Amino acid sequence: MRFSTLGDPANPAILFFHAMGVVGESSERVSGHLADRYYCVMPTSTVYCGDQRYAGRADEARQVEEFLRGHGVGRLALVVASSIGADLGMAFLARGAVPADHVFFDGASSRR
């Protein structure tokens, strides 16, 4: 994975999971307006990182958790996920390692 951030890591954190066909920075249109009050974390799935190999949702959720903990984030103010990113968002939240106060998913596949 690749991680982009905006804002001060001392602020409450918001985690964005991107939709299919785009990368983490696609959330900057929203996170750019929030960066003065929040630490915005925007991972890009390994699927879109040419030098990395996708190993599944559990591995990606683990990588996000490690990034957050490595940057001092022990709780999230909000998790935002779009489209297929909601699948990864659920995998991340199901691990229960970094709790979130609020969650907003704008759609995901109902198929497994």
Side-chain angles (χ1 to χ4, degrees):
M1 295 190 94
R2 188 179 74 239
F3 293 87
S4 296
T5 62
L6 289 174
D8 184 343
N11 288 338
I14 299 176
L15 176 61
F16 293 84
F17 288 106
H18 64 81
M20 186 181 300
V22 296
V23 296
E25 292 87 356
S26 66
S27 297
E28 287 182 359
R29 293 180 70 188
V30 173
S31 62
H33 295 284
L34 300 171
D36 59 331
R37 293 180 293 151
Y38 296 94
Y39 179 52
C40 300
V41 179
M42 301 161 285
T44 294
S45 173
T46 55
V47 171
Y48 299 102
C49 298
D51 60 338
Q52 298 177 20
R53 185 174 165 264
Y54 178 75
R57 283 182 293 189
D59 179 62
E60 298 228 326
R62 177 195 55 78
Q63 289 182 61
V64 172
E65 177 186 326
E66 288 178 2
F67 178 88
L68 293 172
R69 290 193 175 225
H71 288 83
V73 177
R75 182 172 203 85
L76 294 160
L78 174 65
V79 175
V80 178
S82 298
S83 184
I84 195 74
D87 288 337
L88 179 53
M90 282 304 299
F92 169 79
L93 291 169
R95 290 176 61 90
V98 181
D101 295 333
H102 303 280
V103 176
F104 177 79
F105 290 175
D106 73 354
S109 171
S110 61
R111 297 181 189 177
R112 288 209 181 285

